[in-house]
Amino acid sequence: PLPDFLEPQLATLVSEIPRDGPWLSELKFDGYRLLARVQKDKVSLWTRNRQDWSSKLPAIAADLAALGLDDAWLDGELVAVDNEGRGSFELLQQAFARNRRGQVKTEARLLYYLFDALFLNGKDLRGLPQQERKQLLKKALKPTAGHAGALRYSDHITGRMQDVDQQACLQGEEGIIVKAADATYSSGRGLHWLKLKCLHRQEFVVGGYSDPEGGREGLGALLLGYYDAAGQLVYVGRTGTGFSQEQLRQLQAKLRRQQRRTSPFANALSSREADAVHWVSPRLVAEVKFAGWTRHHRLRQASFLGLREDKPARRVQEDRPSTRLKEVVAEKPAADKVAGVKITHPGRLVYAQEGLRKIDVARYYESMAEHLLPQLAGRPLSLLRCPDGIAQACFFQKHMTDSMPDFLRTVAVEEEAGKALYMLADSPRALLALVQMGVLEFHTWGARSDRLNRPDRMVFDLDPGPGVAWKEVQEGALLIRALLRELELPVYLKTSGGKGLHLEVPLLRVHTWEEIKDFSHGIALHLEHELPGRFLASSAKSRRQSRIFIDYLRNAPGATTIAAYSLRARAGAAVATPLRWKELPDIESAAAFTLENISSRLATLRKDPWARYESERVRIGKSLREAMRELAGR
């Protein structure tokens, strides 16, 4: 059956391309990626962000319907061309800006360049080699051979990649796309499609703007940033050129409606950079070309090209060339087995910036099984799945479904709607079966399946708000440890792999969830009362500027915490990592340990940092619990 939607295959930015081998070269178009779903005479056009643009492009939809195809998915790029036939991103912006409510009306010609066929006349072609899919596509587009209508076949050159790249840049094109001729179609970012750009160019999130100067109207410059591995918006500079008068007026109108009082950027701007700036909610995505980066990681000579309506702001990250091309570019997309589990699409790029593939993730979890499985044993799981890599949609799953491997053990959990089955992972096979399903993060309950009503740990998650430096997070952890040790409670430490730190107290299984939640809440309130400028016991975002939220809410039935040695689904491929307390001052960030350096760390450790965790389980005295409960009540 024809899928309702297909995630597109994406190219990985590289600084070099293969010199030989079975590769195809295509021009890199300067437009919007569109996938076409054709079912008889019903056509829909989809952006990679799942937006239906069929109503915006009725002429192109009509041309596709006229092909007479049955049950097809086609992949291509929407391009606006000038009178000389050259693609222009500016003209494409104008085309969509002039008539927001209805059809596109512009003097520019809108062309749909098609370069792949995923389904065609009832057949799924994704398992065929790239070059065969293109042959079938070209045959299906024969009615357009005379360039009738808006459809175009995107041709290619076999081999001679360096010559093609040089010629494309000399002619002022954006760059080229190089595709493995014998590779199948695989949704998400991978190393079988590569992109090489002639100029520095990428998307950035707009976080503010300055007032115009002189006789200029609208605005002066846009303040730009991207989201880093910790999910924070990082300021990288501004652009004040490349705008038309119409764009300046339109941008000012949009941004005025999105103004806010505080900076959305996590890093501090200099007084000169922040002078006379209007902050805005980070929603708009700007396409920018620039000359390069300064040593302070600021954009040089940045020029505005247009807004990207087809890309969500939260997915905008720094577009760095992959450094692992030489290692993996020649690998075939054949299936591999890890711990007896078949890993399909092993070459699919999961962490695009790091060049880490699905097979790399599987091998990581296989190597970490002896460390991770004790953290998972007997605990109901909440799993973060990213089937097409972290650049695409990820989602949490906690209930067992028919799509999951039937050999997974489960535990019945009473919920409001009745009993639900939660998954357990207690063997390398179970662990790798979940990885095969796209699981990247493993989050666990604070109790085990044989006694779900008796927690065996108490967790304090230190979650720094905007403006909190890493040094303050380190100091905060030491302060909380000092308090808990005064109460004669053992405290264990781990990085979260995100922004903060986790402190855990191992417990005997004698307390109720309510007792532990009240106690941890009392600790958080006491610290907020004693150090109000540093700590916060409430999750209210409006109060979190420059303070650390002590998240005690992990201590409740159904609440979960990232497991030690689990990966995080963020750029950098960070790992939640147990620490010795004496290591804390030398740790550079909560994401310091990654898939690529954790093995080296473990190899150099003389002793497991949590070796005494089980032997130090404690009971919290009744008088101490009552004191904290009273504090929480106040």
Side-chain angles (χ1 to χ4, degrees):
L2 195 68
D4 291 333
F5 182 78
L6 282 175
E7 294 284 352
Q9 181 161 340
L10 304 174
T12 297
L13 180 65
V14 293
S15 56
E16 59 177 327
I17 50 179
R19 294 189 175 275
D20 49 36
W23 295 86
L24 311 176
S25 300
E26 300 172 350
L27 281 180
K28 187 179 187 303
F29 294 109
D30 196 4
Y32 285 152
R33 183 76 172 275
L34 281 182
L35 284 86
R37 186 181 190 273
V38 182
Q39 199 163 32
K40 302 294 184 183
D41 58 350
K42 184 178 180 181
V43 176
S44 53
L45 295 163
W46 296 89
T47 71
R48 52 186 280 192
N49 193 33
R50 291 180 181 253
Q51 296 180 42
D52 186 350
W53 279 16
S54 308
S55 61
K56 293 184 177 184
L57 301 163
I60 290 176
D63 287 344
L64 287 164
L67 292 175
L69 303 177
D70 293 333
D71 296 343
W73 267 105
L74 306 179
D75 196 352
E77 187 105 352
L78 180 69
V79 180
V81 297
D82 59 22
N83 293 332
E84 297 179 359
R86 299 176 62 86
S88 169
F89 192 73
E90 182 180 356
L91 285 178
L92 188 62
Q93 291 285 300
Q94 293 175 6
F96 285 90
R98 293 185 182 184
N99 191 355
R100 294 288 183 184
R101 296 180 180 178
Q103 301 176 357
V104 176
K105 294 181 180 179
T106 177
E107 295 177 0
R109 285 189 299 157
L110 294 180
L111 301 179
Y112 187 26
Y113 280 91
L114 291 153
F115 46 68
D116 217 326
L118 319 185
F119 278 75
L120 203 57
N121 295 328
K123 294 182 180 180
D124 186 346
L125 308 184
R126 290 174 294 176
L128 296 180
Q130 173 75 72
Q131 56 190 1
E132 290 187 29
R133 298 198 309 274
K134 290 208 71 174
Q135 289 171 1
L136 293 169
L137 171 65
K138 188 174 184 179
K139 184 178 179 180
L141 293 177
K142 273 188 176 180
T144 68
H147 283 189
L151 307 184
R152 298 290 186 274
Y153 172 68
S154 175
D155 215 336
H156 61 270
I157 294 176
T158 302
R160 306 191 347 255
M161 279 79 74
Q162 280 73 23
D163 293 340
V164 175
D165 174 50
Q166 184 179 27
Q167 191 63 29
C169 292
L170 287 173
Q171 293 180 3
E173 301 291 347
E174 186 186 349
I176 64 170
I177 301 289
V178 179
K179 300 177 178 179
D182 56 356
T184 59
Y185 192 96
S186 180
S187 296
R189 203 174 297 279
L191 285 167
H192 294 116
W193 285 15
L194 310 174
K195 59 183 176 181
L196 192 68
K197 295 183 179 181
C198 297
L199 298 171
H200 292 285
R201 175 171 169 167
Q202 69 178 79
E203 300 90 27
F204 294 99
V205 179
V206 179
Y209 68 96
S210 63
D211 288 326
E213 297 180 355
R216 187 166 180 170
E217 298 180 7
L219 54 84
L222 299 177
L223 276 69
L224 307 170
Y226 61 77
Y227 285 96
D228 64 9
Q232 296 182 312
L233 188 63
V234 178
Y235 174 74
V236 294
R238 60 176 66 196
T239 177
T241 63
F243 305 98
S244 67
Q245 288 297 326
E246 181 65 21
Q247 285 175 324
L248 288 171
R249 287 191 290 269
Q250 290 177 352
L251 280 168
Q252 184 192 42
K254 282 177 178 288
L255 294 171
R256 275 181 172 174
R257 295 193 294 268
Q258 299 175 9
Q259 286 194 53
R260 51 184 278 172
R261 294 182 178 179
T262 59
S263 169
F265 299 109
N267 52 332
L269 281 66
S270 67
S271 57
R272 180 181 60 82
E273 291 172 323
D275 184 43
V277 165
H278 303 278
W279 305 117
V280 300
S281 298
R283 298 173 188 164
L284 297 184
V285 176
E287 179 96 3
V288 173
K289 65 179 180 180
F290 56 103
W293 297 94
T294 70
R295 63 188 180 92
H296 298 297
H297 205 61
R298 294 290 191 266
L299 298 172
R300 289 196 298 109
Q301 302 173 24
S303 178
F304 177 79
L305 294 173
L307 294 178
R308 300 293 310 221
E309 295 188 6
D310 57 333
K311 296 186 179 180
R314 289 294 305 183
R315 291 192 185 177
V316 173
Q317 299 175 331
E318 184 181 6
D319 200 5
R320 291 181 295 169
S322 172
T323 59
R324 304 185 71 239
L325 175 63
K326 292 179 180 178
E327 291 180 47
V328 300
V329 78
E331 290 197 10
K332 307 299 181 186
D336 283 82
K337 278 197 172 184
V338 179
V341 176
K342 181 180 179 180
I343 305 298
T344 59
H345 303 294
R348 178 174 294 163
L349 217 55
V350 177
Y351 295 93
Q353 292 185 3
E354 293 69 33
L356 294 170
R357 306 154 298 164
K358 186 177 180 182
I359 190 64
D360 298 315
V361 172
R363 289 171 182 161
Y364 165 77
Y365 275 117
E366 180 187 35
S367 68
M368 286 294 122
E370 65 175 302
H371 301 283
L372 177 60
L373 286 174
Q375 306 294 324
L376 307 182
R379 298 185 188 275
L381 300 175
S382 184
L383 307 167
L384 184 63
R385 296 176 61 186
C386 305
D388 296 312
I390 65 170
Q392 303 300 312
C394 298
F395 58 92
F396 272 100
Q397 180 174 344
K398 57 184 180 179
H399 295 154
M400 183 71 171
T401 63
D402 292 340
S403 66
M404 305 305 285
D406 57 10
F407 61 81
L408 289 178
R409 289 204 312 117
T410 59
V411 58
V413 176
E414 193 69 47
E415 296 183 334
E416 290 184 5
K419 286 189 177 181
L421 291 179
Y422 280 62
M423 290 169 281
L424 304 173
D426 51 9
S427 69
R429 184 188 179 204
L431 181 65
L432 269 297
L434 292 171
V435 173
Q436 157 59 18
M437 300 295 291
V439 173
L440 287 185
E441 295 187 1
F442 292 84
H443 298 250
T444 61
W445 275 45
R448 298 184 188 269
S449 58
D450 58 338
R451 296 186 72 184
L452 289 176
N453 62 342
R454 291 292 183 264
D456 65 351
R457 70 184 182 204
M458 179 167 56
V459 177
F460 296 92
D461 178 0
L462 276 60
D463 188 358
V468 177
W470 171 245
K471 183 179 179 182
E472 296 175 88
V473 180
Q474 293 168 301
E475 292 171 350
L478 292 170
L479 288 168
I480 297 174
R481 180 203 188 200
L483 172 61
L484 294 173
R485 292 189 69 173
E486 282 292 317
L487 302 177
E488 298 183 349
L489 298 176
V491 191
Y492 287 82
L493 175 70
K494 78 169 186 281
T495 63
S496 68
K499 297 184 295 183
L501 294 167
H502 291 173
L503 280 64
E504 292 192 16
V505 176
L507 301 173
L508 293 170
R509 297 199 291 177
V510 295
H511 304 292
T512 65
W513 283 109
E514 184 180 9
E515 289 172 339
I516 298 306
K517 185 177 180 181
D518 285 346
F519 184 86
S520 58
H521 190 194
I523 293 289
L525 286 170
H526 174 71
L527 287 162
E528 179 186 53
H529 180 267
E530 294 298 316
L531 297 167
R534 183 183 291 265
F535 293 119
L536 186 67
S538 166
S539 60
K541 290 185 177 181
S542 60
R543 300 177 55 201
R544 294 184 59 185
Q545 182 72 33
S546 301
R547 292 199 282 180
I548 299 171
F549 168 44
I550 304 175
D551 187 355
Y552 65 91
L553 299 172
R554 308 282 179 176
N555 304 302
T560 60
T561 303
I562 190 74
Y565 301 108
S566 171
L567 286 168
R568 301 309 303 265
R570 304 177 182 187
V575 175
T577 306
L579 299 177
R580 295 169 293 183
W581 280 98
K582 66 180 182 181
E583 293 181 286
L584 180 57
D586 297 324
I587 300 299
E588 296 180 354
S589 75
F593 297 107
T594 69
L595 181 152
E596 297 192 285
N597 66 22
I598 188 67
S599 295
S600 298
R601 166 180 168 73
L602 293 175
T604 58
L605 283 178
R606 294 183 179 180
K607 187 178 181 182
D608 179 357
W610 285 13
R612 299 177 61 186
Y613 192 105
E614 289 297 325
S615 64
E616 290 197 331
R617 293 192 178 278
V618 294
R619 177 198 300 263
I620 300 175
K622 183 178 180 180
S623 59
L624 192 56
R625 294 201 312 273
E626 289 177 347
M628 287 301 155
R629 186 170 186 176
E630 182 180 349
L631 181 59
R634 293 205 300 266

